[in-house]
């Protein structure tokens, strides 16, 4: 089994949770909001009622948050059938303009210049094997003046040993490695890509998108279980936000 199939299998197991806990995720969708860091950069764009594409949409809760903040429609893409099917059931139950397509991305199965915002948030870029292809697809599907938004774990996060007393760098990982095996839930066993921040920015710029904002944040966007870690005490980067615009 290669890394891609290993990752697909791990996320397939994780997708069972979305089906099993449908009612819980439905309630989350009803009240979903974007994080403050996201709203700070996206509120003005979402007030324009954009059509949004969300590659690697997972449980789909963020898609409801995008609608609540002003998006006109959202199209979610995910390669796991259970994630897509359960997310569509929730969207249908709430009668909202969200549709889901099963797709192994990139490429994105939507036409050229068909959306105003590509939203890739909260644990997606780390699963992209080919950053350049991913960024080119984002540029292809955006209308002129459209935006790509990323809110993601900072690339140094996989190096942290999540100890409550002090922050140490794990001996088994490197910032400059190609990948590592994710050992936290829900992606336990999946192969995560170790993209540096420089690699992400370079891919986005190389696709013809102009980076307008890049911010690093001390807060993690997700904390595994009941863990408390010194790495979350505000001194170190734990997430970042990137907003880029397609000019022309």
């Amino acid at each position: 089994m290669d890394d891609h199939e290993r990752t697909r299998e791990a996320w397939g197991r994780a997708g069972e949770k979305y089906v099993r806990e449908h009612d819980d995720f439905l309630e989350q969708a009803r009240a979903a909001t974007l994080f403050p860091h996201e709203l700070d950069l996206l509120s003005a764009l979402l007030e324009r009622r954009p059509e949004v594409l969300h590659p690697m949409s997972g449980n789909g809760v963020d898609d409801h948050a995008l609608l609540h903040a002003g998006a006109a429609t959202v199209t979610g893409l995910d390669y796991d059938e259970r994630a897509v099917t359960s997310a569509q059931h929730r969207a249908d139950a709430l009668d909202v303009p969200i549709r889901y397509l099963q797709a192994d991305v990139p490429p994105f199965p939507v036409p050229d210049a068909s959306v105003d915002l590509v939203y890739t948030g909260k644990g997606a870029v780390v699963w992209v094997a080919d950053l350049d292809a991913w960024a080119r697809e984002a540029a292809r599907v955006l209308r002129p003046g459209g935006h790509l938004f990323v809110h993601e774990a900072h690339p140094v996060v996989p190096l942290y040993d999540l100890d409550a007393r002090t922050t140490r760098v794990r001996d088994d990982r490197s910032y400059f490695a190609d990948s590592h095996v994710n050992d936290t839930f829900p992606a336990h066993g999946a192969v995560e890509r170790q993209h540096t921040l420089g690699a992400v920015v370079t891919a986005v710029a190389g696709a013809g998108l102009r980076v307008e904002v890049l911010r690093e944040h001390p807060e993690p966007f997700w904390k595994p279980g009941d863990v408390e870690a010194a790495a979350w005490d505000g001194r170190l980067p734990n997430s970042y936000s990137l907003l880029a615009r397609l000019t022309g």
Side-chain angles (χ1 to χ4, degrees):
M1 183 184 298
D2 63 17
D3 287 351
H4 183 74
E5 288 306 314
R6 183 178 181 179
T7 301
R8 181 191 292 275
E9 184 178 277
W11 277 109
R13 292 193 299 271
E16 295 172 1
K17 176 182 176 70
Y18 306 149
V19 177
R20 186 174 61 250
E21 300 177 16
H22 169 81
D23 290 345
D24 289 341
F25 283 106
L26 184 63
E27 290 309 306
Q28 290 179 41
R30 290 183 195 276
T33 60
L34 296 174
F35 286 175
H37 293 311
E38 297 179 290
L39 288 170
D40 188 37
L41 293 178
L42 291 180
S43 287
L45 298 178
L46 291 170
E47 287 172 0
R48 302 174 193 168
R49 305 282 294 160
E51 295 182 274
V52 182
L53 180 69
H54 182 186
M56 306 166 86
S57 52
N59 61 39
V61 170
D62 282 335
D63 303 320
H64 295 265
L66 288 162
L67 287 184
H68 297 161
T73 64
V74 182
T75 300
L77 310 175
D78 201 279
Y79 68 8
D80 182 67
E81 181 181 2
R82 280 160 291 198
V84 168
T85 301
S86 62
Q88 190 65 66
H89 285 165
R90 286 187 286 277
D92 293 344
L94 297 176
D95 193 24
V96 293
I98 304 175
R99 66 168 182 148
Y100 291 93
L101 302 173
Q102 186 175 358
D104 195 346
V105 300
F108 303 159
V110 298
D112 295 357
S114 59
V115 300
D116 305 296
L117 173 65
V118 175
Y119 171 91
T120 299
K122 302 183 183 70
V125 174
V126 295
W127 307 114
V128 174
D130 189 335
L131 271 180
D132 292 331
W134 163 81
R136 288 194 300 269
E137 278 294 278
R140 178 186 69 79
V141 303
L142 283 172
R143 297 177 178 125
H147 288 80
L148 166 68
F149 176 78
V150 178
H151 183 64
E152 183 61 86
H154 198 285
V156 298
V157 166
L159 277 65
Y160 297 155
D161 186 348
L162 298 182
D163 185 277
R165 295 167 297 175
T166 186
T167 303
R168 297 187 298 268
V169 174
R170 293 176 56 150
D171 292 335
D172 60 338
R173 293 185 181 172
S174 166
Y175 186 75
F176 299 102
D178 291 329
S179 63
H180 60 268
V181 175
N182 185 299
D183 54 14
T184 60
F185 182 84
H188 191 95
V191 178
E192 184 174 322
R193 305 293 171 172
Q194 181 61 39
H195 300 307
T196 67
L197 197 55
V200 174
V201 172
T202 299
V204 170
L209 295 156
R210 186 179 71 194
V211 176
E212 295 185 330
V213 181
L214 176 62
R215 295 177 182 169
E216 297 169 281
H217 314 295
E219 304 89 357
F221 72 81
W222 178 73
K223 297 180 179 181
D226 297 325
V227 174
E228 287 299 328
W232 303 335
D233 68 2
R235 297 180 301 123
L236 297 168
N238 277 280
S239 57
Y240 71 93
S241 301
L242 180 149
L243 184 68
R245 179 172 171 269
L246 181 66
T247 58

